[in-house]
């Protein structure tokens, strides 16, 4: 129960930040996080404003989406969260936003290239666009999971952005980096000719970030495994 309370408090806090940072409007977007040491996850309810969201409003679901605790209806995008968690055991938290600049890429159905170093380091490269599908549909979930392969973020066509991470803090940061990258790239196009980082530079930045950045980097083995998988894909 202690883990539930801690995770719930973190989700509520992230919800407040989504509003304050301009990453969502109204009740759009959603947030979820796995319960440490369990397959269950907490997710925000449908249609509840983040400003008034309380920990008790969150819904606890099992890995298949069955409600284990909660009286409110879970987010309509629950199938998307379930699909990502099933495909990506490395993902412990998901944040879905409707931020303005990233939404420009969503409506243009245009990938966001890595023009900033933090994009390469945190996102893993170009942010792909998942094909358009109705909200809450299996098609949307499947398309997002495919476009997320080897990445930390995906743009949903005519919809928004999904960021994933090993924590809610990480997933929120991913969404912020996508929004900043989208803004910078659009302004760079208006003022000049943007230079996109090469695949080689992206791979090097990503690898160095995973192996060496911060106080709690991923192990070298994890970084090498990711790089090996990318090399195999190429």
């Amino acid at each position: 129960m202690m883990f539930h309370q801690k995770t719930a408090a973190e989700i509520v806090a992230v919800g407040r930040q989504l509003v304050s940072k301009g990453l969502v409007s109204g009740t759009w977007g959603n947030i979820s996080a796995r319960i440490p040491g369990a397959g269950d996850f907490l997710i925000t309810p449908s249609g509840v404003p983040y400003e008034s969201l309380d920990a008790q409003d969150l819904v606890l679901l099992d890995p298949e989406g069955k409600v284990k605790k909660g009286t409110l209806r879970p987010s309509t995008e629950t199938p998307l969260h379930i699909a990502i968690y099933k495909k990506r055991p490395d993902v412990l938290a998901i944040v879905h936003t409707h931020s303005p600049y990233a939404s420009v890429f969503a409506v243009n159905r245009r990938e966001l290239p890595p023009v900033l170093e933090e994009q390469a380091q945190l996102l893993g490269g170009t942010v792909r666009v998942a094909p358009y599908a109705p909200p809450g549909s299996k098609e949307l979930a499947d398309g997002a999971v495919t476009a997320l392969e080897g990445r930390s973020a995906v743009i949903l066509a005519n919809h928004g952005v999904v960021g994933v991470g090993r924590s809610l803090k990480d997933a929120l940061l991913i969404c912020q980096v996508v929004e900043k990258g989208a803004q910078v790239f659009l302004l760079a196009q208006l003022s000049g000719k943007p230079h996109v980082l090469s695949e080689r530079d992206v791979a090097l930045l990503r690898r160095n970030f995973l192996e060496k950045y911060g106080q709690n980097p991923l192990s070298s083995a994890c970084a090498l495994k990711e790089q090996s998988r990318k090399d195999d894909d190429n």
Side-chain angles (χ1 to χ4, degrees):
M1 183 62 70
M2 183 175 66
F3 284 137
H4 290 201
Q5 294 173 346
K6 183 174 184 293
T7 303
E10 291 175 350
I11 290 177
V12 170
V14 168
R16 303 276 198 275
Q17 292 183 69
L18 291 187
V19 176
S20 66
K21 296 177 185 299
L23 297 176
V24 298
S25 298
T27 61
W28 305 116
N30 35 75
I31 309 163
S32 75
R34 295 194 208 239
I35 301 301
D40 302 337
F41 66 96
L42 280 169
I43 192 166
T44 47
S46 178
V48 177
Y50 294 104
E51 296 91 339
S52 61
L53 186 67
D54 186 85
Q56 295 181 351
D57 296 327
L58 303 179
V59 186
L60 180 66
L61 304 175
D62 72 9
E64 300 301 321
K66 181 180 179 181
V67 175
K68 297 187 69 174
K69 185 177 181 181
T71 59
L72 298 179
R73 183 182 301 170
S75 169
T76 56
E77 294 298 354
T78 294
L80 171 65
H81 292 248
I82 292 173
I84 293 173
Y85 285 135
K86 283 186 175 181
K87 184 68 174 181
R88 295 283 297 271
D90 60 305
V91 170
L92 302 180
I94 299 170
V95 175
H96 171 39
T97 67
H98 289 190
S99 53
Y101 288 101
S103 292
V104 173
F105 286 82
V107 299
N108 284 330
R109 302 187 182 184
R110 181 182 180 186
E111 294 183 336
L112 175 61
V115 291
L116 298 172
E117 289 183 335
E118 58 257 49
Q119 287 178 263
Q121 292 168 328
L122 287 168
L123 308 180
T126 296
V127 181
R128 308 183 188 103
V129 180
Y132 180 77
S137 66
K138 182 179 184 300
E139 291 77 14
L140 176 66
D142 290 344
V145 166
T146 298
L148 263 174
E149 178 68 31
R151 297 288 187 271
S152 299
V154 58
I155 295 170
L156 307 178
N158 298 88
H159 193 150
V161 172
V162 173
V164 303
R166 291 175 294 155
S167 68
L168 283 161
K169 181 180 178 180
D170 288 348
L172 174 60
L173 178 59
I174 291 296
C175 292
Q176 291 177 272
V177 169
V178 171
E179 180 68 356
K180 178 185 176 183
Q183 180 181 16
V184 168
F185 185 59
L186 289 171
L187 291 175
Q189 286 185 306
L190 291 174
S191 60
K193 185 178 180 180
H195 292 272
V196 177
L197 291 169
S198 68
E199 290 186 10
R200 180 179 181 279
D201 286 335
V202 169
L204 180 61
L205 286 164
R206 177 66 171 166
R207 186 167 185 164
N208 286 340
F209 175 78
L210 291 175
E211 292 181 351
K212 303 175 182 178
Y213 185 80
Q215 302 306 309
N216 295 294
L218 295 178
S219 68
S220 297
C222 289
L224 290 171
K225 181 178 180 181
E226 174 170 320
Q227 185 61 45
S228 176
R229 178 181 49 73
K230 288 184 177 180
D231 292 341
D232 290 341
D233 290 342
N234 292 333

